[in-house]
């Protein structure tokens, strides 16, 4: 579904993401009909209207939050920062009965304490409310109803509304996780970065709680990533257009679908396979994934081409040395996955060397706070076999 901009209002909209996934966000935005998205550091920027803000919060798979810029300005000192922040008409944005918080990133020699600029902006907001309404909104640092994003570099400041609230990886469908689960936004980003065509076999042989295969099924079926999510920060703003939002939500695809190719999820741990099944069962794609309990080496691989992405353990697994596990994985790719593009994400460089195949592509990305390598192994057949030992 391609969005339609119904309002002439032009907003600067910034989508924050994880390090290394900027191009995935750019690709996704282009697929959704947005032209010339601008890549920033851990973010991508477009222009649009409030309809787009609502639409993106529902549909985006690879973004963390959707920000709407309120003001961008230079300031001389702390007093000037306060004064500039107070010029924004905060009382027109949210009601004094809503809780709020200031969050963001500060890179400036003007302040020795990186929390101080946030306190100044908070004071500007509170003082404006007191002067204009006689009362003030309360702060809730953990779960604010309204979240203000601040970015300061040197003496330049950008203030934005976080229209999302809790990050978009909180889709609403995952009720159970296994150890070291893959973030939903990261999982969707890996799908985009892999180049999977969404028409051929997709396999995750170490599926854990199923994030990769669930995101793959939603993507292939065209079901919005956040179809089960109910809470967004934009609903707490004074300009919230309920009719507009409900129209966008009601128009979104929600009906159960059946795909004409296989999505296969396997894991040696019966408990996490059960969790994966529970996570997907309420979604329209519940019948799109084949779950198998067992070791990956026993998995029956469909003939033809396909894509495999997996997030194996980065440390010991059930007493097995991690290097031995990755070596088995590499052998399995070589002997059983002819015609497939195999991708592995891991933070363990030594273990990745144990795969003993030469990767055709490497990408530096982050899985949470862990710096990882996302590596592609193209597995060729017969005389085209070009598997090489990693030097």
């Amino acid at each position: 579904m391609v969005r339609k901009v119904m309002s002439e209002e032009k907003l600067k909209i910034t989508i924050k993401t994880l390090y290394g996934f900027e191009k995935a966000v750019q690709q996704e935005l282009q697929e959704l009909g947005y032209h010339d998205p601008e890549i920033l550091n851990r973010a991508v920027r477009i222009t649009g209207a409030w309809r787009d803000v609502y639409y993106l919060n529902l549909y985006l798979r690879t973004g963390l939050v959707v920000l709407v810029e309120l003001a961008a300005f230079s300031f001389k000192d702390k007093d000037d920062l306060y004064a500039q922040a107070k010029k924004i008409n905060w009382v027109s944005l949210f009601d004094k009965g809503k809780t709020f918080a200031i969050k963001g990133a500060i890179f400036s020699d003007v302040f020795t304490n990186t929390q101080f600029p946030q306190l100044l902006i908070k004071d500007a907001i509170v003082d404006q409310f007191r002067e204009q309404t006689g009362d003030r909104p309360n702060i809730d640092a953990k779960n604010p109803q309204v979240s203000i994003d601040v970015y300061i570099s040197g003496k330049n400041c950008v203030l934005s509304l976080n229209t999302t609230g809790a990050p978009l990886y909180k889709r609403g469908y995952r009720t159970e996780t296994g150890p070291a689960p893959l973030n939903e936004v990261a999982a969707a980003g890996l799908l985009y970065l892999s180049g999977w065509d969404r028409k051929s076999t997709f396999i995750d042989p170490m599926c854990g709680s199923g994030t990769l295969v669930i995101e793959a099924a939603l993507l292939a079926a065209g079901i919005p990533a956040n179809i089960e999510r109910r809470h967004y920060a934009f609903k707490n703003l004074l300009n919230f257009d309920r009719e507009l939002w409900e129209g966008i939500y009601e128009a979104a695809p929600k009906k159960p679908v059946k795909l004409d190719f296989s999505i296969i999820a396997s894991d040696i741990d019966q408990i996490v396979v059960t969790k994966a099944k529970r996570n997907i069962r309420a979604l329209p794609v519940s019948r799109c994934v084949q779950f198998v309990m067992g070791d990956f080496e026993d998995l029956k691989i469909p003939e033809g081409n396909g894509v495999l992405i997996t997030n194996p353990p980065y440390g010991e697994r059930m007493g097995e040395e991690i290097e031995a596990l990755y070596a088995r994985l590499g052998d399995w790719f070589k002997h059983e996955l002819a015609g497939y593009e195999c991708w592995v994400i891991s933070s363990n460089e030594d273990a990745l060397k144990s795969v003993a195949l030469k990767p055709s592509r490497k990408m530096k990305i982050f899985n949470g706070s862990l710096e990882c390598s996302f590596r592609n192994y193209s597995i060729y057949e017969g005389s085209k076999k070009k598997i090489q030992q990693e030097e």
Side-chain angles (χ1 to χ4, degrees), residues 61-232:
R61 306 174 194 276
T62 59
L64 290 171
V65 295
V66 180
L67 304 179
V68 171
E69 184 176 306
L70 296 172
F73 53 85
S74 298
F75 61 93
K76 299 175 183 177
D77 51 30
K78 61 183 180 62
D79 293 331
D80 194 27
L81 175 62
Y82 170 89
Q84 295 280 1
K86 199 175 179 184
K87 290 180 181 179
I88 298 171
N89 191 358
W90 299 104
V91 296
S92 71
L93 296 174
F94 63 98
D95 186 84
K96 62 186 179 182
K98 302 295 184 184
T99 60
F100 80 101
I102 314 292
K103 301 179 182 180
I106 312 296
F107 306 96
S108 176
D109 293 335
V110 177
F111 306 100
T112 55
N113 183 341
T114 57
Q115 299 299 312
F116 190 59
Q118 299 178 26
L119 292 174
L120 288 172
I121 295 164
K122 182 267 293 182
D123 288 345
I125 295 171
V126 167
D127 290 347
Q128 184 186 104
F129 267 91
R130 279 179 174 151
E131 291 168 9
Q132 296 192 28
T133 72
D135 202 353
R136 56 156 288 177
N138 291 320
I139 304 294
D140 185 342
K142 291 185 177 180
N143 297 296
Q145 293 169 297
V146 177
S147 184
I148 314 300
D149 184 272
V150 56
Y151 178 81
I152 293 179
S153 178
K155 293 185 176 182
N156 297 307
C157 177
V158 179
L159 290 175
S160 304
L161 277 173
N162 176 346
T163 68
T164 303
L168 287 173
Y169 61 75
K170 295 188 176 182
R171 307 282 207 228
Y173 68 72
R174 188 167 70 171
T175 59
E176 301 188 56
T177 64
L182 188 67
N183 179 306
E184 286 87 340
V185 165
L190 296 181
L191 292 167
Y192 273 92
L193 293 176
S194 74
W196 179 48
D197 63 6
R198 309 163 206 180
K199 299 176 182 178
S200 57
T201 301
F202 180 83
I203 301 172
D204 180 1
M206 300 182 193
C207 69
S209 55
T211 308
L212 266 168
V213 291
I214 294 173
E215 291 293 322
L218 289 168
L219 177 60
I223 305 293
N226 300 300
I227 199 68
E228 289 296 311
R229 179 169 166 144
R230 296 292 178 264
H231 302 291
Y232 300 92

Side-chain angles (χ1 to χ4, degrees), residues 336-352:
E336 301 296 334
L337 276 295
Y340 278 73
E341 296 293 331
C342 297
W343 292 82
V344 178
I345 176 175
S346 180
S347 66
N348 192 321
E349 185 69 26
D350 290 334
L352 284 168

Side-chain angles (χ1 to χ4, degrees), residues 13-24:
I13 301 170
T14 299
I15 296 97
K16 283 189 173 183
T17 191
L18 300 166
Y19 178 93
F21 292 97
E22 296 90 347
K23 289 186 177 179

